[in-house]
């Protein structure tokens, strides 16, 4: 499941390929993607691709002589992929749900399990997620401390909530807590100033390192070019139950929180 670094990778790799291109047609092949109203795209140009929380945000210029831009937030969910194909051929792949026919190529939305969504916005602000972006300058250690205060939830579950920080999933939440030396069982409001400072540093460092490696790849995530990220090599605890902790050599353990696996080292996350 793509988390923040994977979605950032997709946005960074798509941007130079599609920004500036005129849209000739959008073909939606899966009626599920038509749940909202799909606006007319012909005559618009792609003017930006960025990440908004865990979603890829594609910005379209106003139609000629028209007013107002248009934003499409693509949520990849479990298996969604955005693939760029150069040339005039209009490929039909298995599980193809939508095809943006652009000048010079096609942007394909392929999604085996069909959980991915399209949300159209005429206002950029409306496309913003509810939670704070963990890499945004606004997320200071102090702001993090304010967000954590008052929550009795365990800190692992807290990191997964999308209404506080957006974009973290199971892999990076485990890695961040290990890097910060904080037990996933601690309640969010029990963290002390020094621990919050370590948590803040770890969030930034782990996410930036993962982005540099183009994310982590498990069975079904590939970036916009179909290339696999390499952060998997750097994972310290995730999916490594029974192996040695890279920091203290203790044995990595797995526990289940909210029906999801948490990997941690009881030795250095006491
Ligand atoms: Zn350890």
């Amino acid at each position: 499941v793509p988390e923040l670094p994977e979605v950032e990778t997709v946005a960074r790799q798509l941007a130079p390929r599609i920004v500036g291109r005129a849209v000739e047609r959008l073909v939606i092949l899966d009626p599920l993607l038509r749940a909202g109203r799909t606006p007319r795209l012909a005559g618009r140009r792609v003017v930006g691709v960025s990440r908004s929380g865990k979603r890829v945000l594609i910005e379209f210029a106003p139609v000629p002589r028209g007013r107002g831009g248009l934003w499409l937030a693509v949520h990849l969910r479990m298996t969604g992929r955005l693939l760029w194909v150069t040339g005039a051929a209009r490929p039909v792949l298995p599980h193809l749900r939508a095809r943006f026919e652009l000048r010079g190529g096609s942007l394909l939305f392929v999604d085996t399990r069909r959980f991915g969504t399209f949300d159209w916005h005429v206002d950029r602000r409306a496309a913003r997620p509810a939670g704070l972006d963990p890499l945004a300058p606004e997320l200071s250690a102090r702001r993090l401390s304010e967000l954590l205060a008052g929550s009795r939830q365990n800190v692992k579950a807290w990191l997964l909530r999308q209404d506080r920080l957006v974009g973290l999933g199971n892999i990076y939440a485990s890695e961040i807590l290990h890097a910060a030396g904080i037990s996933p069982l601690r309640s969010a409001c029990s963290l002390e100033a020094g621990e919050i400072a370590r948590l803040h540093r770890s969030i930034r460092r782990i996410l930036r390192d993962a982005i540099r490696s183009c994310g982590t790849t498990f069975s079904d995530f590939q970036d916009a070019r179909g290339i696999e990220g390499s952060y998997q090599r750097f994972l310290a605890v995730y999916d490594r139950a029974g192996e040695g902790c890279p920091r203290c050599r203790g044995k990595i353990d797995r526990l289940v929180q909210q029906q999801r696996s948490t990997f941690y080292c009881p030795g250095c996350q006491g």
Side-chain angles (χ1 to χ4, degrees):
V1 178
E3 301 181 31
L4 184 153
E6 288 76 30
V7 177
E8 178 76 30
T9 299
V10 171
R12 287 186 185 188
Q13 295 186 342
L14 269 185
R17 290 170 175 81
I18 67 170
V19 169
R21 293 185 192 269
V23 185
E24 290 169 355
R25 205 155 71 105
L26 165 61
V27 182
I28 294 199
L29 298 146
D30 181 349
L32 275 180
L33 278 184
R34 264 190 233 117
R37 215 160 49 89
T38 301
R40 253 180 78 83
L41 281 189
R44 291 183 187 262
R45 240 169 3 93
V46 178
V47 287
V49 182
S50 57
R51 179 183 58 79
S52 171
K54 255 199 227 188
R55 301 175 305 170
V56 178
L57 192 64
I58 304 175
E59 179 178 359
F60 300 93
V63 287
R65 289 185 299 278
R67 279 183 305 159
L70 180 66
W71 287 264
L72 169 63
V74 181
H75 206 316
L76 302 170
R77 305 274 182 204
M78 305 283 285
T79 54
R81 285 158 61 193
L82 287 166
L83 301 173
W84 170 246
V85 182
T86 318
R90 303 300 186 201
V92 180
L93 301 176
H95 312 293
L96 180 65
R97 300 182 66 196
R99 184 176 61 229
F100 298 79
E101 299 177 359
L102 309 183
R103 194 156 302 152
S106 300
L107 176 63
L108 309 177
F109 183 55
V110 178
D111 185 7
T112 325
R113 298 189 61 182
R114 301 171 73 204
F115 290 132
T117 53
F118 280 7
D119 292 302
W120 297 94
H121 299 280
V122 291
D123 178 350
R124 194 194 174 101
R125 280 165 304 180
R128 270 193 212 144
L132 190 57
D133 196 286
L135 293 177
E138 300 91 283
L139 185 71
S140 57
R142 188 181 172 159
R143 184 86 188 91
L144 179 61
S145 154
E146 290 165 2
L147 291 170
L148 288 160
S151 170
R152 289 173 199 277
Q153 238 174 348
N154 69 64
V155 63
K156 161 76 186 322
W158 189 91
L159 287 172
L160 297 185
R161 295 172 66 139
Q162 302 295 308
D163 62 336
R164 294 293 184 271
L165 296 184
V166 72
L168 298 177
N170 222 28
I171 299 174
Y172 296 106
S174 285
E175 292 297 312
I176 286 166
L177 289 173
H178 178 260
I182 295 171
S183 164
L185 297 163
R186 293 280 300 280
S187 69
C189 64
S190 75
L191 298 183
E192 287 159 17
E195 294 172 313
I196 293 171
R198 292 207 305 273
L199 181 61
H200 181 254
R201 275 198 303 276
S202 302
I203 289 171
R204 304 278 188 140
R205 185 172 63 74
I206 296 280
L207 293 178
R208 288 197 176 120
D209 286 353
I211 289 169
R212 215 168 291 130
S213 303
C214 297
T216 305
T217 303
F218 289 95
S219 56
D220 52 14
F221 175 77
Q222 290 175 321
D223 67 22
R225 291 178 298 170
I227 290 171
E228 302 185 344
S230 61
Y231 191 71
Q232 191 168 6
R233 287 187 283 135
F234 303 105
L235 296 175
V237 288
Y238 186 81
D239 210 17
R240 294 193 186 280
E243 296 180 31
C245 165
R247 189 168 21 194
C248 75
R249 301 287 151 209
K251 212 180 199 187
I252 294 163
D253 215 343
R254 170 183 171 273
L255 60 90
V256 175
Q257 294 177 295
Q258 299 177 302
Q259 294 94 49
R260 308 189 65 189
S261 295
T262 298
F263 297 90
Y264 76 116
C265 170
C268 56
Q269 292 174 260

